[in-house]
Amino acid sequence: MNDFYPEITPYQHFMLDVGDNHQLYVEQCGNPRGQAVVFIHGGPGAGCSEKDRRFFDPEKYRIILFDQRGCGRSLPHGSLEENTTSALVADIERIRRHLDIERWHVFGGSWGSTLSLVYAQHHPQRVKSLVLRGIFLARQQDTNWTFSGGGATRIYPDHWQNYLDAFPEGESQSDIHGAYKLMTGPDKALAEKIARAWATWEMSCCTLVPDENFLKEATTDERCWSLARHEAHYMVNNCFLEENQILNNCHKIRDIPTIIVHGRFDIVCPLDNAWLLHRELPKSQLIISEQSGHASVETNTKHHLIAATQQMLTLD
């Protein structure tokens, strides 16, 4: 069973000014002469972690990680200004050009899979391969599933009730627009309370088997603030995409080698997201991670993701 590569530290990290009053934290790890791979984190708003470096063989990969606008170590923290999908796609291209990389592998999970796909559809000539996990297609039905009384709330009604209890007026305020209004409103204490409840609800659904350590790491104060507000910001704006945009544009990336890894029991992003994507990409591989939910660190999913990054090394 594949496990994480050993812990590594960056050989370079810096802040990249991308305009619009945003500076992105960017780091490089592994082998400076290795095959370039960019890691695109989830959320929106989650930021990268030290574990994210460890899906890749550090002797063979030049590993690039960055925190998207307003989250992680990027500045200003929590900023939603000029924070759109098209801006994030442009940021990825700025990073590639800044690092003088001609083509690179792209690895993304959850919202990171969404952004990876949109980036690849805009810049297919720059993408050597895609490794995608926990597919989120960013359709209205996908946001409704988790945050508007959809299927997830029926599977985890206890966690959903904990979320509803955070609202002063209960369920009447809990739709995405209502939550977003409170999280961006003048009452900072209430905004922080709703953000923590939002993040805790989502993270509680991420693993098939309850994992207190995972939940604790995923719900620090800073992480809750950026994750919840960013996600709500994107959801109320339909992720700044046309409905079904990703599936409708799969013809643009049909020749890019793609491995899709998705948990059989993913409650945050149900498996049919990956199934539909796989059908639109006939050259893709769909690997269903049995006994797994949504999180990348679950044993079977981690094994399949590392195997995928090993496979992608054979493309050169």
Side-chain angles (χ1 to χ4, degrees):
M1 185 70 70
N2 288 317
D3 204 350
F4 279 133
Y5 288 98
E7 292 183 6
I8 53 174
T9 56
Y11 64 78
Q12 182 192 39
H13 61 86
F14 58 92
M15 302 299 291
L16 180 65
D17 190 335
V18 294
D20 302 325
N21 197 37
H22 282 281
Q23 295 184 50
L24 303 187
Y25 172 84
V26 183
E27 68 178 39
Q28 297 195 82
C29 310
N31 183 352
R33 294 174 295 279
Q35 294 193 38
V37 59
V38 60
F39 180 97
I40 302 182
H41 68 69
C48 291
S49 73
E50 294 180 1
K51 291 179 181 177
D52 297 333
R53 308 165 182 160
R54 301 174 61 192
F55 288 102
F56 314 96
D57 186 338
E59 295 184 0
K60 298 178 180 178
Y61 274 112
R62 176 185 177 185
I63 308 159
I64 298 103
L65 296 90
F66 72 100
D67 293 331
Q68 294 160 32
R69 294 187 177 204
C71 60
R73 292 146 291 188
S74 293
L75 299 173
H77 181 75
S79 174
L80 303 176
E81 298 296 323
E82 302 299 329
N83 205 320
T84 66
T85 302
S86 60
L88 300 187
V89 168
D91 290 346
I92 297 170
E93 263 298 275
R94 287 189 184 97
I95 293 169
R96 185 192 63 77
R97 292 196 302 268
H98 181 81
L99 297 176
D100 195 25
I101 295 170
E102 182 67 22
R103 297 174 70 231
W104 53 4
H105 302 280
V106 177
F107 180 112
S110 194
W111 163 254
S113 74
T114 315
L115 190 53
S116 296
L117 287 160
V118 177
Y119 171 77
Q121 289 171 353
H122 278 80
H123 303 282
Q125 73 280 9
R126 301 302 181 189
V127 179
K128 188 178 294 185
S129 75
L130 289 164
V131 175
L132 307 172
R133 185 268 312 166
I135 305 302
F136 177 63
L137 294 177
R139 302 165 298 173
Q140 188 63 52
Q141 68 194 73
D142 302 319
T143 59
N144 289 346
W145 169 267
T146 309
F147 282 100
S148 290
T153 67
R154 299 180 64 184
I155 297 169
Y156 288 110
D158 49 345
H159 297 319
W160 182 245
Q161 188 61 54
N162 291 336
Y163 173 67
L164 297 180
D165 289 344
F167 290 84
E169 298 176 20
E171 190 168 2
S172 64
Q173 294 174 310
S174 69
D175 68 284
I176 295 169
H177 288 267
Y180 182 60
K181 183 177 180 180
L182 294 178
M183 286 192 286
T184 56
D187 188 335
K188 182 68 179 296
L190 178 59
E192 290 177 343
K193 181 181 180 182
I194 301 301
R196 171 162 290 280
W198 175 296
T200 301
W201 151 245
E202 182 180 352
M203 293 301 109
S204 296
C205 300
C206 275
T207 56
L208 179 60
V209 177
D211 186 332
E212 289 301 319
N213 288 331
F214 170 85
L215 185 60
K216 183 178 180 181
E217 291 177 5
T219 54
T220 62
D221 289 343
E222 281 195 355
R223 194 175 176 92
C224 287
W225 182 247
S226 62
L227 178 74
R229 294 171 76 254
H230 276 67
E231 288 188 343
H233 169 72
Y234 274 77
M235 289 179 182
V236 299
N237 288 289
N238 300 314
C239 294
F240 301 96
L241 298 171
E242 296 177 5
E243 182 66 8
N244 216 36
Q245 178 175 326
I246 290 173
L247 293 180
N248 288 342
N249 285 277
C250 277
H251 62 280
K252 298 178 180 179
I253 59 171
R254 61 185 299 117
D255 292 325
I256 296 176
T258 301
I259 297 178
I260 303 165
V261 177
H262 204 108
R264 169 73 73 183
F265 302 103
D266 189 336
I267 303 304
V268 178
C269 298
L271 178 58
D272 65 340
N273 285 263
W275 183 258
L276 291 170
L277 179 64
H278 175 55
R279 289 179 61 182
E280 293 297 323
L281 298 175
K283 295 182 181 179
S284 66
Q285 300 177 53
L286 173 59
I287 300 169
I288 299 175
S289 184
E290 304 291 352
Q291 300 178 336
S292 298
H294 183 65
S296 63
V297 296
E298 291 177 283
T299 301
N300 289 325
T301 297
K302 177 170 57 176
H303 163 77
H304 292 306
L305 290 172
I306 293 171
T309 65
Q310 293 168 347
Q311 181 177 340
M312 290 309 181
L313 285 168
T314 65
L315 293 176
D316 259 14

